[in-house]
Amino acid sequence: MKIRIIVLIFILVLAMIGFVSAIDITECQTLDIEGATYILQNDIITNEYACFEIAGNNIVLDLNGYSITANSSGEFGVLIHGFNSATIKNGVINDFDEGVYIEDSSDNNLLDLNINNGAYGVFLERATSTQINNATISNSHLYDLGADDLDTEEQCNHSLINVVGSNDKPIAFYNDAVNINNLDLSEMILCNADNSNINNITINNDVNNRNGVLMFNTDNAYLNEISVIKGYLGFFMLNSHNNIINDSNFIGSEREGMRIFSGNANEILNSDISNNGLEGIELNDARNNSFISNFIEYNGHGHGGISIEDDDDLGGNLFYNNFFNNNYNI
């Protein structure tokens, strides 16, 4: 008899736990019950600053096949700041400035999502170990997958599986040495991908300027025949050194064709860096880089071919045998 009572109590406790941890929701709100699964019951159109803010650990937001859409304003579809191990899954996120924004947070999962947004589809800032699986992240104005302050090996430890970006092309994310050839991509991110060898990569945005190549904390890589047409910023390099970029095209981007920030001793050779909205090349705290036998022409009015921004000197950068044809060459 005692055993039956104990079993019944145990079953009742499990039922109560299940009831508490599965919560139906119908509107934007803060999700703060740790370990809970929130299940959306309808589509949402909102002007909220953040439709859903994750404010606890181990929280699941199941969009349950529904969509959340910013009406005329809305910064974040889902905001995760300082909490870990969230799962966002199974739905559509539309028209926010950032569809999913993850900051100072680790071990989060984005599964089976369709994200169509303003500036960024997904943005990672000082985030670690994000897993993005079976997602479409497209039609963002700047980058489908944006990232900032990826300063450590841990902050490069993200994983993308079957992630498609704008123009129905893959988003590639590499955080180890890779040998890659002949890919047509929406976007490419190299993060702690030292000693990689990458050949014949095309990122062509046709009409709308978005995406490009992002390189963080990557040294001694060789990139050959990289073509970015109509990107947001053709090639952005941060804290990356001793890389070679050869026989490449960075043409028609909204901003710079190439920006090197805190990158030293890189070589850019035999490339076409033309028709970009601002400078062809911007160097900021970038030293001892070499630009040899490039075409740098028709870049933005009032901005021009090359901009070197530093407080004390020109950084020992070498420009040799390049062809310049801009309103302001330097």
Side-chain angles (χ1 to χ4, degrees):
M1 185 65 179
K2 290 182 179 179
I3 294 175
R4 290 182 180 177
I5 293 173
I6 292 172
V7 170
L8 288 172
I9 292 173
F10 179 70
I11 292 172
L12 180 61
V13 169
L14 288 178
M16 292 176 65
I17 292 173
F19 178 76
V20 171
S21 62
I23 302 170
D24 292 344
I25 53 176
T26 59
E27 59 186 10
C28 298
Q29 59 190 270
T30 298
L31 312 179
D32 56 5
I33 299 177
E34 296 204 348
T37 295
Y38 292 86
I39 304 174
L40 188 61
Q41 301 298 309
N42 49 261
D43 295 327
I44 295 175
I45 299 175
T46 181
N47 288 318
E48 294 285 344
Y49 174 75
C51 184
F52 293 113
E53 181 175 357
I54 305 294
N57 297 315
N58 300 297
I59 287 174
V60 175
L61 171 58
D62 184 355
L63 297 176
N64 197 25
Y66 293 107
S67 64
I68 58 174
T69 302
N71 187 6
S72 58
S73 63
E75 184 74 16
F76 307 114
V78 180
L79 171 63
I80 307 172
H81 173 69
F83 295 94
N84 305 318
S85 302
T87 296
I88 316 301
K89 65 179 184 178
N90 191 26
V92 180
I93 302 173
N94 291 320
D95 298 336
F96 295 89
D97 287 341
E98 286 87 19
V100 178
Y101 188 91
I102 302 175
E103 183 179 15
D104 295 318
S105 181
S106 65
D107 299 301
N108 298 289
N109 298 283
L110 308 180
L111 309 174
D112 301 313
L113 295 172
N114 191 330
I115 302 174
N116 303 277
N117 284 274
Y120 301 96
V122 174
F123 195 89
L124 307 175
E125 184 161 5
R126 296 182 303 276
T128 60
S129 300
T130 304
Q131 311 290 319
I132 307 177
N133 295 341
N134 300 321
T136 297
I137 309 171
S138 62
N139 300 321
S140 306
H141 178 62
L142 306 185
Y143 292 96
D144 292 330
L145 176 59
D148 195 11
D149 293 333
L150 302 185
D151 296 330
T152 66
E153 181 177 347
E154 290 76 16
Q155 289 171 352
C156 291
N157 191 25
H158 306 290
S159 173
L160 276 66
I161 300 174
N162 191 28
V163 178
V164 175
S166 296
N167 301 316
D168 294 321
K169 298 175 183 178
I171 298 174
F173 187 100
Y174 303 115
N175 55 14
D176 202 350
V178 292
N179 291 296
I180 301 297
N181 297 281
N182 307 321
L183 294 179
D184 190 6
L185 301 175
S186 170
E187 179 180 356
M188 183 171 70
I189 300 176
L190 305 170
C191 194
N192 198 44
D194 296 352
N195 303 304
S196 291
N197 193 315
I198 299 175
N199 293 279
N200 193 21
I201 303 298
T202 299
I203 298 171
N204 189 341
N205 288 286
D206 298 327
V207 177
N208 297 309
N209 299 81
R210 60 171 67 94
N211 293 324
V213 176
L214 298 172
M215 175 184 279
F216 303 98
N217 303 301
T218 294
D219 302 335
N220 303 307
Y222 179 74
L223 291 85
N224 184 62
E225 295 185 3
I226 310 300
S227 181
V228 179
I229 308 300
K230 293 186 180 296
Y232 171 67
L233 195 165
F235 195 111
F236 176 70
M237 182 185 299
L238 174 67
N239 295 329
S240 297
H241 316 294
N242 298 297
N243 300 288
I244 296 174
I245 301 170
N246 180 60
D247 196 17
S248 295
N249 300 297
F250 306 109
I251 299 173
S253 290
E254 181 176 325
R255 294 187 61 85
E256 298 86 359
M258 173 174 289
R259 183 190 297 168
I260 300 178
F261 194 97
S262 299
N264 304 326
N266 300 287
E267 296 183 26
I268 289 81
L269 314 169
N270 308 307
S271 295
D272 187 351
I273 307 170
S274 301
N275 291 291
N276 298 288
L278 300 182
E279 292 87 5
I281 299 165
E282 179 185 316
L283 304 178
N284 196 315
D285 191 26
R287 300 180 177 277
N288 303 312
N289 299 283
S290 298
F291 297 83
I292 302 173
S293 298
N294 302 290
F295 284 84
I296 305 168
E297 53 185 338
Y298 308 124
N299 293 290
H301 296 291
H303 295 273
I306 299 167
S307 171
I308 301 176
E309 301 184 15
D310 213 321
D311 292 335
D312 48 8
D313 58 44
L314 299 182
N317 296 290
L318 170 67
F319 294 85
Y320 177 77
N321 197 37
N322 299 283
F323 179 82
F324 291 94
N325 183 15
N326 309 273
N327 283 349
Y328 301 91
N329 284 324
I330 188 165

